[in-house]
Amino acid sequence: MTQPKSPRTRASPDHDVVVIGAGFAGLYAVHKLRALGFAVQGFERGGDVGGVWYWNRYPGARCDCESYYYSYSFSRELEQEWDWSLRYSEQPEILAYLSHVADRFDLRRSIAFDTAVEAMVFDEETNLWTLTTTAGERLTTRFVVSAAGCISAIQRPRFAGLDDFAGDIHYTAAWPHEGVDFTGKRVGVIGTGASGVQAIPIIARQARHLTVFQRTANYVIPARNGPMGEEWRAWVKAHYDEIRAKCLASPGAVPFDSPHRKAVETPEAERQAVYERIWKLGGLRFFAETFSDLITDKAANETAAEFVRAHIRAVVKDPEVAERLIPRSHPIATKRPPLDDDYYETFNRPNVTLVDIAADPIDHFTAHALHTGKSRYDLDALVLATGFDAMTGALTRIDIRGRGGLTLKDKWAEGACTYLGLGMAGFPNLFTVTGPFSPSVVANMPTGVEHHVDWIADCLAYMREHDLAVIEPTQAAEEAWVAHAGEVASATLYPQTNSWYVGANIPGKPRRFMVYLGGFSAYREHCAGIASKGYEGFAFAPQPGAERAHAAAS
């Protein structure tokens, strides 16, 4: 069967669409766009599919969303044939799932591995992007879809003397594929975000001694992980339609029941009973299914925080260590809350030391030790769980030049800005999947990814149908969306916290809250409304020779 024609201009590009990345977003983008008849080429800097799950192989790496909904919904056959073994999948199983998807839908033939996009320049004469890759290739494409991820650009700290350290240094986000043996070693872990929290208990069981260097204490919620079980697996497979519908209607793209009661209006005994019940269930339900005002009301938030503080004090035997593990710098859930079942118990082990580097910062390294301002810690190995240049880093590390030679880095010099998290004014025919100012990291990622890719695919099909060559957000639409997102965020407690949501973990990065907090379901409806109005807020240019000019209102 003849495929529908793809849009062309005076110049014939090498590809219709280039997709950057081969994780959840990139794989689905290749599959969806290829099925619509577009000539698609993917590029992935890793050696195979997986994205974040290809690189993050550290001990204990797993998802903080439950397996049955942290998965694709686009194929009923895929849903039925794949069996998850755990409630919260670990990295090897998620990677195996994505590899299975790539095999099942024959996606690898459209992806160049071990190849990163280094530079992209938009040619205003031909309406084409010219890309340069690390393989030395130069190619042209009509459209670029960035599926490079929100948390894929590693943050490498600049500690004085780090290059002089003679022991092994490992980043959680670039873990050796062959694994690491810490037996008999004195190990230091810097960082207590999600990766550090997951890795610390397992490293502690192996190392001779583990020293945890904590700058900011985190609220860690129990996962209650375990085998999925045949009965539960069968129920899930029989009810996937209902599960997916709940995800689409949910603020967090999760199949939970949103609460309608407020913590501040609930009697204390009843409130504690709610927390206890959900705590025993485990997971992000602690925030999604307890009370509706935890993120908007400081007093309500404090009731949840105090519940977790009491748990920390009850579990950690040394009162001084317990107090150091209790967060005091931010409202609960305004940093991404890690999930783990053994984290606090780990600090009862005799071979584990907790160091507060907020009170006594890291000063420098020597060949065999980490030095704070007051103390020396002898180490044989160092694990850096120091996070990512989140939300923007995967794009700004590519030399992207749009209209007039403007670089994306310069456009975002005073803070990221997008329209819907899908595109940027001044950068035509460039789409971002779960980009800044979309729900992205506060929503279940596979559900968010599918929504964005479907929206982009529908848009490209619309352009093909209407002989349109170029799409670009208007400056007015972009500014209005960023302002709206800021207003929504300001009604919550999130902006009160120095987190990677605002770029606070990157020295010199402009502070701007980069996640849309209006809820995934409302965002999804908003995007659908924009598309139904002829892609309101986007400007189009027609193909040369097209009979009609097309434009959408800004």
Side-chain angles (χ1 to χ4, degrees), residues 159-169 186 362-372 375-382:
F159 297 120
L162 184 58
D163 291 341
D164 298 326
F165 182 67
D168 296 329
I169 300 177
R186 298 164 298 179
I362 294 172
D363 185 75
H364 68 281
F365 283 83
T366 54
H368 301 288
L370 179 156
H371 300 259
T372 65
S375 302
R376 169 192 171 114
Y377 299 91
D378 293 327
L379 301 172
D380 303 307
L382 183 66

Side-chain angles (χ1 to χ4, degrees), residues 10-78:
R10 288 170 293 170
S12 181
D14 297 312
H15 308 286
D16 294 328
V17 188
V18 162
V19 175
I20 301 174
F24 268 95
L27 290 179
Y28 183 52
V30 168
H31 171 70
K32 180 78 176 184
L33 294 169
R34 209 172 64 182
L36 290 175
F38 291 99
V40 181
Q41 176 62 54
F43 291 100
E44 167 55 53
R45 65 186 176 93
D48 201 354
V49 301
V52 66
W53 300 110
Y54 175 86
W55 296 103
N56 287 257
R57 299 169 184 246
Y58 59 85
R62 66 177 176 279
C63 187
D64 60 5
C65 290
E66 289 156 286
S67 308
Y68 72 96
Y69 62 86
Y70 188 81
S71 58
Y72 289 119
S73 67
F74 70 85
S75 167
R76 289 177 180 269
E77 292 79 9
L78 177 63

Side-chain angles (χ1 to χ4, degrees), residues 302-475:
E302 183 64 17
T303 66
E306 188 52 40
F307 180 89
V308 179
R309 293 180 197 128
H311 170 77
I312 297 170
R313 293 185 179 109
V315 169
V316 180
K317 295 176 182 177
D318 185 327
E320 291 186 7
V321 174
E323 292 305 310
R324 289 203 296 275
L325 287 165
I326 291 174
R328 305 185 189 281
S329 64
H330 62 281
I332 191 170
T334 57
K335 285 177 177 278
R336 180 79 176 190
L339 304 185
D340 195 79
D341 290 324
D342 303 306
Y343 181 70
Y344 293 121
E345 289 82 353
T346 297
F347 293 93
N348 293 327
R349 296 177 64 97
N351 70 324
V352 175
T353 300
L354 177 66
V355 176
D356 181 358
I357 56 173
D360 185 17
I362 294 172
D363 185 75
H364 68 281
F365 283 83
T366 54
H368 301 288
L370 179 156
H371 300 259
T372 65
K374 299 177 182 177
S375 302
R376 169 192 171 114
Y377 299 91
D378 293 327
L379 301 172
D380 303 307
L382 183 66
V383 174
L384 296 172
T386 46
F388 303 88
D389 183 356
M391 311 303 296
T392 60
L395 283 173
T396 57
R397 294 183 186 191
I398 302 172
D399 182 8
I400 301 176
R401 298 174 184 267
R403 290 196 186 278
L406 176 68
T407 68
L408 185 60
K409 185 177 291 187
D410 284 344
K411 176 180 172 69
W412 285 354
E414 296 181 4
C417 46
T418 74
Y419 183 41
L420 306 171
L422 283 162
M424 290 82 67
F427 294 83
N429 291 4
L430 170 59
F431 294 95
T432 52
V433 180
T434 63
F437 302 101
S438 73
S440 61
V441 293
V442 296
N444 175 41
M445 194 57 76
T447 305
V449 157
E450 285 184 319
H451 167 254
H452 263 195
V453 170
D454 286 344
W455 192 96
I456 293 166
D458 289 344
C459 181
L460 295 189
Y462 172 90
M463 292 181 68
R464 179 169 59 192
E465 180 182 351
H466 292 82
D467 292 316
L468 298 171
V470 178
I471 180 173
E472 178 185 351
T474 68
Q475 188 68 37

Side-chain angles (χ1 to χ4, degrees), residues 214-262:
Q214 171 192 275
R215 184 179 63 180
T216 305
N218 230 323
Y219 293 98
V220 180
I221 307 302
R224 311 297 184 199
N225 203 13
M228 194 164 179
E230 288 300 328
E231 185 176 349
W232 173 241
R233 185 182 292 115
W235 185 92
V236 165
K237 289 188 176 185
H239 292 84
Y240 256 128
D241 287 348
E242 174 187 336
I243 291 164
R244 304 303 188 186
K246 289 186 75 171
C247 287
L248 293 176
S250 160
V254 290
F256 301 158
D257 295 318
S258 298
H260 299 290
R261 60 198 162 198
K262 294 184 176 181

